[in-house]
Amino acid sequence: MTTWTRKALLLTVSAAAAAGTLTAVGAPAAHSRPAGPATPPLAWGPCAPLPGAAFPAGQQCATLRVPLDYRAPGGRTVDVAVTRLRTDRPEARRGTLLVLAGGPGGSGVRRLAQKGEALREATEGAYDLISLDPRGVGGSTRATCGIPGPDRHAVTLRSWPSADGSIAENTERSRRTAESCDRNGGPLLRSLTTRNQARDIDRLRAAVGERKLSVWAHSYGSYAGAVYAQEHPDRVDRLVLDSTGDPDPARVAYGWLANMGPGTAASFPGFAAWAADPARDAEGLRLARRAEDVRPLFLALARELDRAPRESDVPGVPLTGNGLRQALQSALQGDAGFAPLARLVRAARDPEGRPALPPELAGPLPDEDAAVSMAVVCNDVRWPGPASGYARRVAADRARYPLTAGMPVNITPCAFWKHEEEPRPARITDEGPSNVLMIQSLRDPATPLAGALRMRAALGERARMVTVERGGHGMYLGNGDACGDRVVSDFLVTGRLPARDAHCPD
């Protein structure tokens, strides 16, 4: 463990603040002079309704037209859906803050609808807020792969091995999915990359008339935000990376997935403690008398469902062992997922019960959503080929991390992906201004601390990291605490970074 890592785990933010060990980053003036190529102004108007989301008053939407291929800027274009929520305190405005959603495949329009009011309040009106649906997502131009419905379920799109650990079915499905994407996706699908998202972000920056953007980026969006800042360091004011993966070019995408095994193992005890708490008795959700008994109970149920799937509330879609494991992945994203998972476990253990499937298990993903979730990670980097020893790695991972049963290291369509040119993942370095604040859960199931520490090491003195004594994925204005929220908000408003890495105790 490095010196700065030890400091991250031992130093509290409150102590740093009390000691005055905060440093200022960035001038208070707004950045309103555009840089780069001229971009036509956006035609802002009302946002189209989003299922399950309500827009804050004043949120507007527009369409940004960008090149399909930046090597041919005068050629075919792609529509990118963009959105904004202007400050309600114009006198306090210092610039524009870009909100980047996770994924790949997350909608920035939806995320701003969900977080805009809280973010505007937390930053004291210092920013106009903007976001985008990356190309291929939501209201932007969509790509398709033509994947059959049975291959678009969560438990088939994710490469969960068979009950006996075999990956033969995964291999064949991955092959035909990659072939379908190559056959049907065309130039648009091949353009779905993190580098192109960074280019599109820069077009959006110019379109809103800013010389610099501040950025709050979440999950995969943190990688996209770091890539943008690496390629345009002079165009980023303040950058917050929330729940971050390993940026090593050799492990981008493939390494993110592999990290889910240890991430899930580290996060599960939080659910186990909750599910064994006597307070669950009144709710009818207590799974065991002791926290240490929850894990073997869960694993035994998954094995039972491997042998004999249970009829669910969705006709034709039984609850399988892999379905239960997939439900766990979603539940560990935050404490709000614990009760639905406990209900699912109790119903699956009840001989007379009929489990109610969570939405991600109830049916196939739309083809466009499946396409973009695969295309970005497959296009960004060359994955190990099909003959590189997946079966061996799956067997070892199943034994070490049974909660994920080998899925994180299994073969995917990326092993068969066809590239028109060799991918060139960006290398994140310590070259650039010291204007990056990272915030990270100690027990994140999706972007574990180990990967975030590698991002922290890559950024060097450009960054400071605040760890939060919590589980879950997404800390700022989400699963974190008042301590972490306060540090991030203060950085965005004042530019003050902790002088050293810091830790928010529970």
Side-chain angles (χ1 to χ4, degrees):
M1 183 179 289
T2 65
T3 300
W4 62 261
T5 302
R6 286 194 293 271
K7 289 178 180 177
L9 298 176
L10 296 175
L11 179 68
T12 67
V13 171
S14 56
T21 53
L22 296 172
T23 56
V25 176
H31 302 281
S32 56
R33 292 175 296 159
T39 301
L42 297 167
W44 296 104
C47 297
L50 278 178
F55 290 107
Q59 184 168 342
Q60 297 176 302
C61 290
T63 298
L64 174 69
R65 193 153 289 162
V66 299
L68 171 67
D69 185 344
Y70 277 88
R71 297 168 300 183
R76 182 180 165 190
T77 60
V78 172
D79 287 345
V80 173
V82 299
T83 187
R84 75 176 179 185
L85 182 62
R86 307 190 82 166
T87 177
D88 55 354
R89 306 174 207 179
E91 71 284 356
R93 184 186 183 277
R94 72 169 311 275
T96 296
L97 174 64
L98 171 69
V99 177
L100 289 181
S107 164
V109 174
R110 180 179 291 273
R111 184 158 179 82
L112 190 58
Q114 295 167 335
K115 299 291 187 179
E117 291 279 22
L119 181 57
R120 191 161 59 174
E121 181 63 26
T123 56
E124 302 174 8
Y127 296 96
D128 290 337
L129 309 176
I130 62 171
S131 193
L132 76 163
D133 285 352
R135 57 174 71 192
V137 174
S140 297
T141 302
R142 308 295 297 275
T144 62
C145 278
I147 306 170
D151 290 348
R152 287 188 274 111
H153 284 261
V155 293
T156 50
L157 198 60
R158 282 266 176 95
S159 285
W160 291 97
S162 298
D164 62 358
S166 168
I167 70 166
E169 187 176 350
N170 303 131
T171 302
E172 179 52 37
R173 182 183 297 114
S174 293
R175 183 193 306 275
R176 66 174 177 259
T177 297
E179 290 174 350
S180 184
C181 289
D182 183 61
R183 185 169 57 250
N184 301 312
L188 177 59
L189 190 78
R190 289 191 289 273
S191 81
L192 304 182
T193 66
T194 301
R195 284 188 182 274
N196 273 338
Q197 183 173 342
R199 295 178 179 112
D200 295 346
I201 287 169
D202 204 50
R203 287 294 180 104
L204 175 57
R205 175 200 57 76
V208 297
E210 294 285 15
R211 185 169 185 81
K212 291 187 177 185
L213 293 174
S214 291
V215 182
W216 169 36
H218 165 255
S219 192
Y220 161 75
S222 288
Y223 175 68
V227 169
Y228 180 67
Q230 185 70 41
E231 297 187 350
H232 299 289
D234 59 329
R235 298 179 186 175
V236 176
D237 183 19
R238 297 164 185 173
L239 174 61
V240 174
L241 303 181
D242 183 347
S243 304
T244 311
D246 186 346
D248 183 347
R251 291 184 56 78
V252 167
Y254 176 71
W256 299 340
L257 186 59
N259 281 344
M260 290 180 66
T264 299
S267 301
F268 189 85
F271 169 69
W274 180 93
D277 191 322
R280 305 285 86 78
D281 282 329
E283 304 162 356
L285 296 178
R286 195 175 186 188
L287 299 183
R289 311 308 292 180
R290 303 182 307 165
E292 56 265 36
D293 295 332
V294 176
R295 185 173 182 269
L297 178 154
F298 184 92
L299 292 172
L301 177 60
R303 290 192 296 268
E304 179 183 334
L305 293 169
D306 282 338
R307 294 188 297 269
R310 291 288 306 278
E311 183 179 352
S312 76
D313 64 332
V314 180
V317 185
L319 177 63
T320 64
N322 284 336
L324 183 68
R325 297 180 185 103
Q326 180 61 50
L328 173 65
Q329 298 303 303
S330 300
L332 293 179
Q333 300 288 308
D335 291 0
F338 289 177
L341 179 63
R343 290 190 192 97
L344 184 66
V345 169
R346 288 183 66 88
R349 298 184 73 212
D350 181 356
E352 304 300 322
R354 176 174 292 191
L357 296 183
E360 70 268 21
L361 297 182
L365 271 69
D367 185 65
E368 295 89 347
D369 291 348
V372 70
S373 67
M374 287 184 301
V376 175
V377 295
C378 295
N379 286 332
D380 267 5
V381 63
R382 187 172 293 280
W383 288 51
S388 63
Y390 280 100
R392 171 180 49 80
R393 291 194 291 274
V394 164
D397 211 59
R398 283 170 67 85
R400 188 174 184 184
Y401 303 114
L403 289 168
T404 46
M407 179 275 292
V409 300
N410 200 2
I411 195 166
T412 74
C414 299
F416 298 94
W417 208 255
K418 296 181 181 179
H419 297 273
E420 287 193 335
E421 58 184 53
E422 190 64 22
R424 295 183 302 107
R427 180 174 293 280
I428 306 302
T429 73
D430 60 359
E431 298 176 3
S434 298
N435 61 350
V436 184
L437 177 64
M438 298 177 62
I439 184 164
Q440 180 72 33
S441 163
L442 292 184
R443 297 177 294 280
D444 187 321
T447 54
L449 179 63
L453 291 176
R454 292 180 70 91
M455 176 68 86
R456 173 67 185 86
L459 290 168
E461 286 304 306
R462 291 179 64 189
R464 296 292 182 266
M465 183 163 77
V466 177
T467 50
V468 182
E469 192 72 37
R470 290 289 178 94
H473 181 58
M475 291 293 99
Y476 183 52
L477 305 181
N479 295 307
D481 61 9
C483 168
D485 286 356
R486 185 167 55 249
V487 176
V488 174
S489 297
D490 185 66
F491 169 64
L492 289 173
V493 173
T494 70
R496 289 196 296 267
L497 279 173
R500 297 178 294 278
D501 292 336
H503 180 62
C504 283
D506 193 11

